[in-house]
Amino acid sequence: MMTPEEQASALAALLDQRTATDDPTLLEGLDTEVLEALYALRPELAPPARVSADDILSSLTEGPLADVSGEVAPETPVVNLQEVRRSRRQWLPWGTVLAAAAALVLFVRTGGEAPEAPAPSQEVPATRVAPAEELEDEEFEELVRDKAPIAGVVDRVSEQTPDAPSAPNALTEGFGGIAGEIAAEKTIEESIGAKGFSGAAKQAASARKQEIPAPAPFEDEDDSPVQRTVPPAARDQSPTPAAPPPPPEAKFETRGNTRKSKAAQAQEVAPVIAEADEEIPAEEMLAEEAELAPFADENLELRTKAVVTQASTTRAPIILRRRDREPLDSLNTAYPSPPLSAIDLSVLPTNVSIEPRDNALCTLSINLFVEPSATWYLVLEDSCSSAQRSKIERALKKVDWEAVLSDGPARFNLALSLLPK
Amino acid sequence: MNDPLPTADSSFLAPAAQELAVVNRLKAGDRGAFRELYQWYGDRLYREILRKLPNREAAEDCLKEALRKAMERIDQFEPRGASIFFWLKRIAVNLAMDHHRAEQRRRKLHQRIDLMESTAAKPPAPDRNLEVEDTQREVDLSLSKLNPRYAQVLRLRLIEERSREEAAQIMGVSLSNLDVLLHRACKAFRKVYPP
């Protein structure tokens, strides 16, 4: 500790330098008050700021210079889930009417002559959306297009019954897609816990359930209650770490997918990986419902960012990895332009982790990646607590994933913030 | 008395055409352009902030925050013939003032608490509600609250930048006495600055 006289001498020496100094012998001995008075009156004598341009650049969160690993990720408009739902609700009566009409047509057809089922190895003709063509109804076409993402699920469910193709396939074909899709939508909604189906759709789904044998349970070490659809032959080749997706064992049609030509719609679907929902005690469920109430649907704001790749590994609280823990960027290298293909929505709400961040109740990023084999990989870091996890899972079940994904690019990032009102 | 503020000095500014090119690159998302801009004006801005916010850490935080805000809103900047430096400086100084006001409020609150706890009558505090934005006026105001000898040595040595010998001669003291006087004056000044 310098005496006041020594400090006075040091101050005089500092002033005589007439330039900025970082000399610790000069600066450390002086009282803070003296230094601050000096900086206020002679700021040019202060040492340079200990802030670099890169520090500032890394702190940017918006604007053209914001860090997205050097690339700028254009932010797409916010998806207003309520509007999407309202739009869907407008279509629902039409869908119900059309489903009933299709069921009637089927009933007449199956009563008269049974349709020929294609051989299992035969490539499925791309013109199976018969009623759409017959009716030539623009609205119907639109509805089919809207339901595109779930078509693959329909076909996968159908695929579970290769030994008895006539009944379920006839049902699906006879419905011309729409009734089957609604039934499949029911399956999806059941799996993700969503509600809001019409009575007709429920009847169609229940009728379908009775006719289609239940899919074989997933036979791995994970006792998942989630219904997973895995081709029997593919089950033995479930993905292993560092291995590419297994070769396809079955052909699936993705009807209604307007992104592809119909001939190209036959997709290879690898086993879908899903994790089990955690068992939550009833009291805890109630408590969570109460907690979730403040951010019901109208408080959920879903933002999508197009083509966020490496940024998600550095900025997002969740790091996307494959099940084998291969980082995302290597996936991107391996599959630079994966096509959008069949989507199993049921895996989405069960593979999410979450970390609280900033002022938001929760902030999370979900990275969705579709590989050419049409397998979704959504495996996240296990850093969240079980309470956080179950909370966010339940919140995610309220998201209209179908609407979100129906027009999404093949690879994108969804950032979801649950903000209090 | 010399004006210690370098704002009138524009010699440090980059050529207008060069600056405009950098601004356009910034708007296009070129991070290299920001590094260039920071090299030009970062230090200058820091020292402008230090005038308002003499604490080094606070000034650095303020610099970082000011440039972050500015770069996030770079799309809103329209040159209109003026250098981007003045736009950045305005943001930085405003932030520094906000910081200072917050600090002042905190200080006032503490003073009120002290006053309530104190039984002895105290002389009225100087009017702190005066919103003086001009740094020179703030300095003058602070100096006016000091012992005249302290104010004089600060003016001579730090504002007018006279040499030790010259200042000692004007004040009629020895060199060592001048140094001690200046040291004490600095401490006293910091207590009243910013006002």
Side-chain angles (χ1 to χ4, degrees), chain A residues 54 362 371:
Chain A
D54 287 332
C362 309
E371 292 190 58

Side-chain angles (χ1 to χ4, degrees), chain A residues 121-411:
Chain A
S121 60
Q122 182 184 344
E123 188 176 348
V124 183
T127 55
R128 286 167 67 184
V129 192
E133 292 162 3
E134 288 169 14
L135 292 171
E136 294 180 353
D137 185 334
E138 283 183 10
E139 290 173 345
F140 181 82
E141 289 274 354
E142 186 64 33
L143 190 59
V144 170
R145 214 164 25 244
D146 281 353
K147 306 273 182 200
I150 63 167
V153 181
V154 179
D155 298 319
R156 252 175 284 160
V157 173
S158 303
E159 182 61 27
Q160 298 308 305
T161 60
D163 297 332
S166 58
N169 284 353
L171 179 69
T172 312
E173 288 168 17
F175 282 159
I178 184 60
E181 284 169 4
I182 290 176
E185 188 172 356
K186 168 69 176 169
T187 308
I188 293 163
E189 297 245 0
E190 280 178 356
S191 66
I192 66 175
K195 291 185 176 64
F197 263 70
S198 70
K202 282 179 180 172
Q203 285 175 8
S206 65
R208 194 167 178 281
K209 268 185 179 176
Q210 287 172 2
E211 291 187 40
I212 303 174
F218 203 73
E219 292 175 359
D220 61 7
E221 67 284 357
D222 180 9
D223 293 339
S224 171
V226 177
Q227 179 175 309
R228 289 174 291 193
T229 57
V230 183
R235 244 179 267 150
D236 299 330
Q237 302 181 20
S238 54
T240 55
E249 292 294 322
K251 297 280 185 186
F252 296 92
E253 183 191 8
T254 54
R255 283 174 291 117
N257 189 344
T258 55
R259 290 169 180 274
K260 298 170 179 294
S261 67
K262 288 185 176 179
Q265 284 176 1
Q267 290 293 324
E268 301 163 351
V269 180
V272 174
I273 301 168
E275 290 182 3
D277 269 320
E278 293 177 19
E279 285 292 326
I280 305 169
E283 298 83 358
E284 200 178 322
M285 292 261 282
L286 285 171
E288 281 181 13
E289 287 285 1
E291 280 182 42
L292 282 171
F295 43 94
D297 286 0
E298 63 268 20
N299 295 326
L300 289 182
E301 193 181 44
L302 187 66
R303 291 176 183 272
T304 61
K305 273 195 173 184
V307 193
V308 175
T309 54
Q310 197 142 7
S312 57
T313 63
T314 56
R315 294 181 58 201
I318 296 165
I319 299 172
L320 173 69
R321 294 181 191 280
R322 275 176 62 162
R323 203 157 177 80
D324 57 10
R325 300 295 175 185
E326 187 180 350
L328 175 65
D329 50 355
S330 63
L331 271 179
N332 291 338
T333 309
Y335 306 105
S337 302
L340 183 67
S341 188
I343 298 166
D344 188 342
L345 297 170
S346 64
V347 304
L348 291 178
T350 61
N351 293 274
V352 178
S353 73
I354 176 65
E355 283 179 3
R357 178 173 274 203
D358 298 331
N359 295 326
L361 289 177
C362 309
T363 303
L364 67 120
S365 286
I366 303 159
N367 295 277
L368 305 173
F369 194 90
V370 184
E371 292 190 58
S373 61
T375 300
W376 281 95
Y377 285 97
L378 191 69
V379 183
L380 303 159
E381 295 288 287
D382 296 322
S383 57
C384 63
S385 69
S386 61
Q388 286 174 332
R389 189 184 183 89
S390 59
K391 181 184 288 185
I392 196 61
E393 283 174 6
R394 293 172 65 76
L396 282 171
K397 284 173 184 174
K398 299 184 177 183
V399 176
D400 191 341
W401 291 104
E402 184 190 342
V404 170
L405 298 174
S406 60
D407 281 316
R411 178 184 59 196

Side-chain angles (χ1 to χ4, degrees), chain B residues 15-185:
Chain B
Q18 214 175 331
E19 197 183 283
L20 188 63
V22 164
V23 169
N24 289 335
R25 282 165 59 205
L26 285 172
K27 290 184 178 181
D30 183 350
R31 294 158 74 88
F34 175 74
R35 291 188 185 94
E36 208 170 322
L37 185 79
Y38 187 75
Q39 203 176 357
W40 289 346
Y41 300 139
D43 191 60
R44 195 90 190 187
L45 283 168
Y46 172 60
R47 292 174 201 288
E48 291 291 340
I49 295 169
L50 271 178
R51 289 182 184 281
K52 299 278 180 191
L53 213 57
N55 181 279
R56 203 177 162 197
E57 284 75 24
E60 286 166 349
D61 287 347
C62 186
L63 173 72
K64 195 174 171 182
E65 180 65 9
L67 286 174
R68 186 189 67 77
K69 278 191 172 180
M71 289 306 111
E72 287 182 348
R73 297 165 195 170
I74 188 65
D75 285 334
Q76 297 170 14
F77 173 68
E78 292 176 20
R80 292 178 184 164
S83 168
I84 192 174
F85 171 78
F86 298 107
W87 184 64
L88 297 174
K89 184 187 162 191
R90 190 71 255 161
I91 295 172
V93 168
N94 283 346
L95 269 177
M97 291 298 292
D98 289 347
H99 186 282
H100 168 58
R101 287 189 190 109
E103 183 66 20
Q104 212 175 27
R105 278 194 293 274
R106 191 188 61 78
R107 236 189 303 168
K108 275 185 180 177
L109 184 67
H110 282 246
Q111 279 176 352
R112 282 200 196 105
I113 293 169
D114 290 344
L115 192 67
M116 286 162 66
E117 288 174 349
S118 166
T119 53
K122 286 185 178 176
D127 183 10
R128 288 176 185 277
N129 292 328
L130 216 56
E131 290 293 339
V132 188
E133 291 217 356
D134 180 65
T135 306
Q136 183 58 57
R137 285 184 62 197
E138 285 182 350
V139 169
D140 287 342
L141 184 66
S142 299
L143 289 176
S144 69
K145 295 172 189 168
L146 296 180
N147 177 316
R149 297 282 284 173
Y150 288 171
Q152 189 183 16
V153 73
L154 286 172
R155 282 189 198 281
L156 290 171
R157 286 289 278 151
L158 297 182
I159 297 173
E160 297 176 15
E161 298 184 31
R162 308 243 186 170
S163 67
R164 279 175 83 205
E165 292 76 15
E166 203 179 351
Q169 194 181 355
I170 291 171
M171 293 192 71
V173 293
S174 66
L175 289 178
S176 56
N177 278 351
L178 179 85
D179 292 343
V180 172
L181 205 58
L182 179 64
H183 180 256
R184 289 178 185 168

